[in-house]
Amino acid sequence: MSSRLNPMQSAAVRHIDGPLLVLAGAGSGKTRVITHKIAYLIEECGYLPTHIAAITFTNKAAKEMQDRVGKLLKGGVRGLTLSTFHSLGLAIVRSESSCLGLKKSFSILDSADSFGILASLCKTTDKKAIRQASSLISGWKNRLVAPGEAAAAAKNDEEHLAARIYADYQATLQAYQAVDFDDLIRLPAALFEQDCEALDRWRTKLRYLLIDEYQDTNLCQYRLIRQLAGSRGALTAVGDDDQAIYAWRGASTENLASLQTDYPNLEVIKLEQNYRSTVRILQAANSLISHNPKLFEKKLWSDLGHGEPIRAVAARDEEHEAESVVRSLLAHRFEHRGRYSDYAILYRGNHQARLFEQHLRNERVPYRISGGISFFDRSEIKDILAYLRLLVNPDDDPAFVRAVTTPKRGVGNQTLEALGKYAGGRHVSMFEAAFEAGLAHEISEKQLQPLLAFCNFINNLQFAAQRTPAGEIMNDLLKAIDFEAHLFDTEESRQAKAKWENVTEFASWIGKKSEEEEKSIIELAQTIALMNLIDRQDEACDEVQLSTLHAAKGLEFGHVFLVGVEEGILPHQESMSDAGIEEERRLMYVGVTRARESLHLSYCLKRKRAKELKVCEPSRFISELGDEIKFSGTAVTKEVGNAKLAMLKSALGNKSI
């Protein structure tokens, strides 16, 4: 094993006498360390796979770990916990549901469901006010602050109002027998504070923890790690304080300092050899990040050669920037005989993508966008998911309302309003209220019959789902509600066809996933809320990648075009405090270290704001990159770009791009 690891990686793998913090710089092989350490714990130290948990932040990272560990271990990964924080939290909540006042078949509400409930409780359509309340409540949950504590500590009218809504929101979730994403971490952490037996059960089960992207943990996640690791600290945390870019969602670099305080015997090992980027790129990255105060000093180095100069160009405006970047990308690709997938265009905000998309389309360049709409967020998929959520938990009122009205089946708004009012007065779910005799006094027989027909359909489907393969259940469901006809009745033909293809792909995926994981459709439906994409077969497509800097974290590309590097964009105009600038600098650092072979920066001299052209300043971060930057003056025009490309083609044999 050691022959495939450098000395510092090997030291990190072999250290098991107490807690360990691995400071893993960008491209330094952190996933290799985690996967080799899992194999070492099992094959050399006698740990059983069932006693080890490796926890990360994305399904993609967990899947990559699973694949790599599977290749290292002769016995495979069976029994290992390789999951996201939220998946681990779900396993704990499911196992300890009775201690938490939940039935096993609780629902997990997604952000849209939560937003809808909060909108109703806020009694406003002002999305900004609802988002503010949502953000405050999420922050309180992530800091383990209960509604009563939030109310007592509220400093202004907005916080007082949000605290009242927080209490009502939690009561609503309890009535629905539902949890939101934050609860999946908060509930286990709160439970372990009060229930020593539950904590002992999980400490006995998970005897060694490996935490990936540790710098992205919030207070609640750190509390959960600390509880499970206990005083003996059988723990390896792997992270990089220079890539901490999620303070806006509660992540705290203070957790790195807390490890040292909570575990005085903490060992710290630095991984500074970078296996990704050229020397020039790393020198620029080191120079940039040196302007931030450092919790731990480290300096990335590489033996991959000096590499191409880093180029920075000024464009007249955003239209010129997009045109110039696409022309430069095409010329560079042609000159280096590269693939489109070797190239990425990275930007601070999603709104910057539109012009680059337009110019890529004009040149017929294939591309894909990261951070777009999740497959599971598509309306047609959410329609079907509403039915699956009811199979898990008929008390899930948001799912009930969506399913009973899609497709329409004679249950109108008046019926639902009367049902909701009756259910609220009886403190029961809408599904349960539909079967109560008292409802017949509130609505007519004509209104009641389609309602009961729907509820009986769900009951029958739930009964069948416990005995029938998931693929069959999906097909039976889609036929029974005639969803294809519904799409073609309500959508333009081409859009209906695309949506139906998405639904059939989803149904096929459910069937396949159920067979692979040996889970019923009900068991699978409860975990779908934690997924954000279907494993697709087109990952190797030859396409230029467009991505926000946040979404690009963890990825790498041969050649990176980092665009809009201006004051007000990067750093963002709303992040001008000292702490904000430091985080924006780390975001720039993430962008720079995505590049393997070449890095190209661009900024605009003027940019349209509120229909006026405003003068722009190049970002302070460009000068902070040091002496490795080669300024190319003003970006090339389309005519000059075309002429250069024609010359390249002629010199290299006049082959197509």
Coordinates of all heavy atoms in Angstrom, one line a residue, residues 15-20 37-38 41-42 45-55 79-82 88 92 192 198-211 224-237 263:
H15 N -1.7 6.5 10.9 CA -1.9 7.0 12.2 C -3.3 6.6 12.7 O -4.3 7.1 12.2 CB -1.8 8.5 12.2 CG -2.1 9.2 13.5 ND1 -1.0 9.4 14.5 CD2 -3.2 9.6 14.2 CE1 -1.5 9.9 15.6 NE2 -2.8 10.1 15.4
I16 N -3.4 5.8 13.8 CA -4.7 5.4 14.4 C -4.7 5.6 15.9 O -5.7 5.3 16.5 CB -5.0 4.0 14.0 CG1 -4.0 3.0 14.6 CG2 -5.3 3.8 12.5 CD1 -4.5 1.6 14.6
D17 N -3.6 6.1 16.4 CA -3.5 6.3 17.9 C -4.0 7.7 18.3 O -3.2 8.6 18.5 CB -2.1 6.1 18.4 CG -1.6 4.7 18.1 OD1 -2.4 3.8 18.2 OD2 -0.4 4.6 17.8
G18 N -5.3 7.9 18.2 CA -5.9 9.1 18.6 C -6.4 9.9 17.4 O -6.2 9.5 16.2
P19 N -7.0 11.1 17.6 CA -7.6 11.9 16.5 C -6.5 12.5 15.6 O -5.4 12.8 16.0 CB -8.3 13.0 17.3 CG -7.6 13.1 18.6 CD -7.2 11.7 18.9
L20 N -6.9 12.6 14.3 CA -6.0 13.1 13.3 C -6.7 14.1 12.4 O -7.8 13.9 12.0 CB -5.5 11.9 12.4 CG -4.7 12.3 11.1 CD1 -3.4 12.9 11.5 CD2 -4.5 11.0 10.3
K37 N -7.0 4.4 3.9 CA -7.1 4.3 5.4 C -8.2 3.3 5.7 O -8.0 2.5 6.7 CB -7.3 5.6 6.0 CG -7.3 5.5 7.6 CD -6.8 6.8 8.2 CE -6.4 6.6 9.7 NZ -5.8 7.8 10.3
I38 N -9.3 3.4 5.0 CA -10.4 2.4 5.3 C -9.8 1.0 5.1 O -10.1 0.1 5.9 CB -11.6 2.7 4.3 CG1 -12.3 4.0 4.7 CG2 -12.6 1.5 4.4 CD1 -13.3 4.5 3.7
L41 N -7.5 0.1 8.0 CA -8.2 -0.2 9.2 C -8.8 -1.6 9.2 O -8.8 -2.3 10.2 CB -9.4 0.8 9.4 CG -9.0 2.2 9.8 CD1 -10.1 3.2 9.6 CD2 -8.4 2.3 11.2
I42 N -9.3 -2.1 8.0 CA -9.9 -3.4 7.9 C -8.8 -4.5 7.8 O -8.9 -5.5 8.5 CB -10.9 -3.4 6.7 CG1 -12.0 -2.5 7.0 CG2 -11.4 -4.8 6.4 CD1 -12.9 -2.2 5.8
C45 N -5.6 -3.5 10.8 CA -5.9 -3.2 12.2 C -7.1 -4.0 12.8 O -7.4 -3.8 14.0 CB -6.2 -1.7 12.3 SG -4.9 -0.6 11.7
G46 N -7.7 -4.8 12.0 CA -8.8 -5.7 12.5 C -10.1 -5.1 12.7 O -11.0 -5.7 13.3
Y47 N -10.4 -3.9 12.2 CA -11.7 -3.3 12.2 C -12.7 -4.1 11.3 O -12.3 -4.4 10.2 CB -11.7 -1.8 11.8 CG -11.3 -0.9 12.9 CD1 -9.9 -0.6 13.2 CD2 -12.2 -0.2 13.6 CE1 -9.6 0.3 14.2 CE2 -11.9 0.7 14.6 CZ -10.5 0.9 14.9 OH -10.2 1.8 15.9
L48 N -13.9 -4.3 11.8 CA -14.9 -4.8 10.9 C -15.5 -3.7 10.0 O -15.6 -2.5 10.5 CB -16.1 -5.4 11.7 CG -15.7 -6.7 12.5 CD1 -16.9 -7.1 13.4 CD2 -15.3 -7.8 11.6
P49 N -15.8 -4.0 8.8 CA -16.4 -2.9 7.9 C -17.6 -2.2 8.5 O -17.8 -1.0 8.4 CB -16.8 -3.7 6.6 CG -15.8 -4.8 6.6 CD -15.6 -5.2 8.0
T50 N -18.4 -3.0 9.3 CA -19.6 -2.4 9.9 C -19.3 -1.4 11.0 O -20.2 -0.7 11.4 CB -20.5 -3.5 10.5 OG1 -19.7 -4.3 11.3 CG2 -21.1 -4.4 9.4
H51 N -18.1 -1.3 11.4 CA -17.7 -0.4 12.5 C -17.0 0.9 12.0 O -16.5 1.7 12.8 CB -16.8 -1.1 13.5 CG -17.5 -2.2 14.3 ND1 -16.8 -3.2 14.9 CD2 -18.8 -2.4 14.5 CE1 -17.6 -4.0 15.5 NE2 -18.9 -3.5 15.3
I52 N -17.0 1.0 10.6 CA -16.3 2.2 10.0 C -17.3 3.1 9.3 O -18.2 2.5 8.5 CB -15.2 1.7 9.1 CG1 -14.2 0.9 9.9 CG2 -14.6 3.0 8.4 CD1 -13.1 0.3 9.0
A53 N -17.2 4.4 9.5 CA -18.1 5.3 8.7 C -17.2 6.4 8.0 O -16.4 7.0 8.7 CB -19.1 6.0 9.6
A54 N -17.3 6.5 6.7 CA -16.7 7.6 6.0 C -17.8 8.6 5.5 O -18.7 8.1 4.8 CB -15.9 7.1 4.8
I55 N -17.7 9.8 6.0 CA -18.8 10.8 5.8 C -18.4 11.9 4.9 O -17.3 12.5 5.2 CB -19.4 11.3 7.1 CG1 -19.7 10.1 8.0 CG2 -20.6 12.1 6.9 CD1 -19.9 10.4 9.5
G79 N -21.3 -3.6 4.3 CA -21.3 -3.3 5.7 C -20.7 -2.0 6.1 O -21.0 -1.4 7.1
L80 N -19.8 -1.4 5.2 CA -19.3 -0.1 5.4 C -20.3 1.0 5.3 O -21.2 0.9 4.5 CB -18.2 0.2 4.3 CG -16.8 -0.2 4.6 CD1 -16.0 0.0 3.3 CD2 -16.1 0.6 5.7
T81 N -20.2 2.0 6.1 CA -21.0 3.2 6.0 C -20.2 4.2 5.2 O -19.3 4.8 5.7 CB -21.4 3.8 7.4 OG1 -22.2 2.8 8.1 CG2 -22.2 5.0 7.2
L82 N -20.6 4.4 3.9 CA -20.0 5.4 3.1 C -21.1 6.3 2.6 O -21.9 6.0 1.7 CB -19.3 4.8 1.9 CG -18.1 3.9 2.1 CD1 -17.8 3.0 1.0 CD2 -16.9 4.8 2.4
L88 N -26.4 9.6 6.8 CA -26.2 9.1 8.1 C -27.2 9.6 9.1 O -27.7 8.8 9.9 CB -24.8 9.5 8.6 CG -24.4 9.1 10.0 CD1 -24.3 7.6 10.1 CD2 -23.1 9.7 10.4
I92 N -29.9 7.3 11.4 CA -30.0 7.5 12.9 C -31.5 7.8 13.2 O -32.1 7.2 14.1 CB -29.1 8.5 13.4 CG1 -27.6 8.1 13.2 CG2 -29.4 8.8 14.9 CD1 -26.6 9.2 13.5
F192 N -28.6 12.6 21.1 CA -27.4 12.1 21.7 C -27.1 13.0 22.9 O -26.4 12.5 23.8 CB -26.3 12.0 20.7 CG -26.5 11.0 19.7 CD1 -25.8 11.1 18.5 CD2 -27.3 9.9 19.8 CE1 -25.9 10.1 17.5 CE2 -27.5 8.9 18.9 CZ -26.8 9.0 17.7
A198 N -29.0 5.7 23.5 CA -29.0 5.8 22.0 C -27.6 6.1 21.6 O -27.1 5.6 20.6 CB -30.0 6.9 21.6
L199 N -26.9 7.0 22.3 CA -25.5 7.4 21.9 C -24.6 6.2 22.0 O -23.8 5.9 21.1 CB -25.0 8.5 22.8 CG -23.6 9.0 22.5 CD1 -23.4 9.4 21.0 CD2 -23.2 10.2 23.4
D200 N -24.7 5.4 23.0 CA -23.9 4.2 23.2 C -24.1 3.2 22.0 O -23.2 2.5 21.6 CB -24.2 3.5 24.5 CG -23.5 4.3 25.7 OD1 -22.6 5.1 25.4 OD2 -23.9 4.1 26.8
R201 N -25.4 3.1 21.6 CA -25.7 2.2 20.5 C -24.9 2.6 19.3 O -24.4 1.7 18.6 CB -27.2 2.2 20.2 CG -28.1 1.3 21.1 CD -29.5 1.1 20.6 NE -30.3 2.3 20.5 CZ -31.0 2.8 21.5 NH1 -31.0 2.2 22.7 NH2 -31.7 3.9 21.4
W202 N -24.9 3.9 19.0 CA -24.2 4.3 17.7 C -22.7 4.4 17.9 O -22.0 4.2 16.9 CB -24.8 5.6 17.3 CG -26.2 5.4 16.7 CD1 -27.4 5.3 17.3 CD2 -26.4 5.1 15.3 NE1 -28.4 5.0 16.4 CE2 -27.8 4.8 15.1 CE3 -25.6 4.9 14.2 CZ2 -28.3 4.5 13.9 CZ3 -26.1 4.6 13.0 CH2 -27.5 4.4 12.8
R203 N -22.2 4.6 19.1 CA -20.8 4.6 19.3 C -20.3 3.1 19.2 O -19.2 2.9 18.7 CB -20.4 5.1 20.7 CG -20.3 6.6 20.7 CD -19.8 7.1 22.1 NE -19.8 8.5 22.2 CZ -19.6 9.2 23.3 NH1 -19.5 8.5 24.5 NH2 -19.5 10.5 23.3
T204 N -21.1 2.2 19.6 CA -20.7 0.8 19.5 C -20.7 0.4 18.0 O -19.9 -0.4 17.5 CB -21.7 -0.1 20.3 OG1 -21.7 0.3 21.6 CG2 -21.3 -1.6 20.2
K205 N -21.7 0.9 17.3 CA -21.8 0.6 15.8 C -20.7 1.2 15.0 O -20.0 0.6 14.2 CB -23.2 1.0 15.3 CG -23.3 0.8 13.8 CD -24.7 1.2 13.3 CE -24.8 1.2 11.8 NZ -24.4 0.0 11.1
L206 N -20.5 2.5 15.2 CA -19.5 3.3 14.4 C -18.3 3.6 15.3 O -18.2 4.5 16.0 CB -20.1 4.6 13.9 CG -21.4 4.4 13.0 CD1 -21.9 5.7 12.6 CD2 -21.1 3.5 11.8
R207 N -17.2 2.7 15.2 CA -16.1 2.8 16.1 C -14.9 3.6 15.5 O -14.0 3.9 16.2 CB -15.6 1.4 16.4 CG -16.7 0.7 17.2 CD -16.3 -0.7 17.6 NE -17.4 -1.4 18.2 CZ -17.3 -2.7 18.7 NH1 -16.2 -3.3 18.7 NH2 -18.4 -3.3 19.2
Y208 N -15.0 3.9 14.2 CA -14.0 4.8 13.6 C -14.7 5.7 12.5 O -15.4 5.2 11.7 CB -12.8 4.0 12.9 CG -11.6 4.9 12.8 CD1 -10.6 4.9 13.7 CD2 -11.5 5.8 11.7 CE1 -9.5 5.7 13.6 CE2 -10.4 6.6 11.6 CZ -9.4 6.6 12.6 OH -8.3 7.5 12.5
L209 N -14.4 7.0 12.6 CA -15.0 7.9 11.7 C -13.9 8.6 10.8 O -12.9 8.9 11.3 CB -15.7 9.1 12.5 CG -16.8 8.7 13.4 CD1 -17.3 9.9 14.1 CD2 -18.0 8.0 12.7
L210 N -14.3 8.7 9.5 CA -13.4 9.5 8.6 C -14.3 10.6 8.0 O -15.4 10.2 7.4 CB -12.9 8.6 7.5 CG -12.0 7.4 8.0 CD1 -12.7 6.1 7.9 CD2 -10.7 7.3 7.2
I211 N -14.0 11.8 8.1 CA -14.8 12.9 7.7 C -14.1 13.6 6.5 O -13.0 14.1 6.7 CB -15.0 14.0 8.8 CG1 -15.4 13.3 10.1 CG2 -16.1 15.0 8.4 CD1 -16.7 12.5 10.0
L224 N -22.3 16.4 16.2 CA -22.6 15.0 15.9 C -21.3 14.2 15.8 O -21.2 13.1 16.4 CB -23.4 14.9 14.6 CG -23.9 13.5 14.2 CD1 -24.8 12.9 15.3 CD2 -24.7 13.6 12.9
I225 N -20.3 14.7 15.1 CA -19.0 14.0 15.0 C -18.4 13.8 16.3 O -18.0 12.7 16.7 CB -18.1 14.8 14.1 CG1 -18.6 14.9 12.6 CG2 -16.7 14.2 14.1 CD1 -17.9 16.0 11.8
R226 N -18.4 14.9 17.1 CA -17.8 14.8 18.5 C -18.5 13.8 19.3 O -17.9 13.0 20.1 CB -17.9 16.2 19.1 CG -17.3 16.3 20.4 CD -15.8 16.7 20.4 NE -15.2 16.2 21.6 CZ -15.3 16.9 22.8 NH1 -16.0 18.0 22.9 NH2 -14.7 16.4 23.9
Q227 N -19.8 13.8 19.3 CA -20.6 12.8 20.1 C -20.2 11.4 19.7 O -20.0 10.5 20.6 CB -22.1 13.1 19.9 CG -22.6 14.3 20.6 CD -24.0 14.8 20.0 OE1 -24.3 14.5 18.9 NE2 -24.7 15.4 20.9
L228 N -20.2 11.1 18.4 CA -19.9 9.7 17.9 C -18.5 9.3 18.2 O -18.2 8.2 18.5 CB -20.3 9.6 16.4 CG -21.7 9.7 16.1 CD1 -21.9 9.8 14.6 CD2 -22.5 8.4 16.6
A229 N -17.5 10.3 18.0 CA -16.1 9.9 18.2 C -15.8 9.8 19.7 O -14.9 9.0 20.1 CB -15.3 11.0 17.6
G230 N -16.5 10.5 20.6 CA -16.3 10.3 22.0 C -14.9 10.9 22.4 O -14.2 11.5 21.6
S231 N -14.6 10.6 23.7 CA -13.4 11.2 24.2 C -12.1 10.5 23.6 O -11.1 11.2 23.6 CB -13.4 11.1 25.7 OG -13.5 9.7 26.1
R232 N -12.2 9.3 23.2 CA -11.1 8.6 22.7 C -10.7 9.1 21.3 O -9.6 9.0 20.8 CB -11.3 7.1 22.6 CG -12.3 6.6 21.7 CD -12.7 5.1 22.0 NE -13.7 4.7 21.1 CZ -13.4 4.1 19.9 NH1 -12.2 3.9 19.6 NH2 -14.4 3.7 19.1
G233 N -11.6 9.7 20.6 CA -11.3 10.4 19.3 C -10.8 9.5 18.2 O -9.8 9.7 17.6
A234 N -11.6 8.4 18.0 CA -11.2 7.5 16.9 C -11.7 8.1 15.6 O -12.8 7.8 15.1 CB -11.9 6.1 17.1
L235 N -10.9 9.1 15.1 CA -11.4 10.0 14.1 C -10.3 10.5 13.2 O -9.2 10.8 13.7 CB -12.0 11.2 14.8 CG -12.3 12.5 14.1 CD1 -13.5 12.4 13.2 CD2 -12.5 13.6 15.1
T236 N -10.5 10.5 11.9 CA -9.7 11.2 10.9 C -10.5 12.3 10.2 O -11.5 11.9 9.5 CB -9.0 10.3 9.9 OG1 -8.1 9.4 10.6 CG2 -8.3 11.0 8.9
A237 N -10.2 13.5 10.4 CA -10.9 14.6 9.7 C -9.9 15.1 8.6 O -8.8 15.4 8.8 CB -11.2 15.7 10.6
Y263 N -9.6 18.1 21.4 CA -8.7 17.0 21.4 C -7.2 17.5 21.5 O -6.5 17.7 20.5 CB -8.8 16.1 20.2 CG -10.2 15.5 20.1 CD1 -11.2 15.9 19.2 CD2 -10.5 14.3 20.8 CE1 -12.4 15.3 19.1 CE2 -11.8 13.7 20.7 CZ -12.7 14.2 19.8 OH -13.9 13.6 19.8

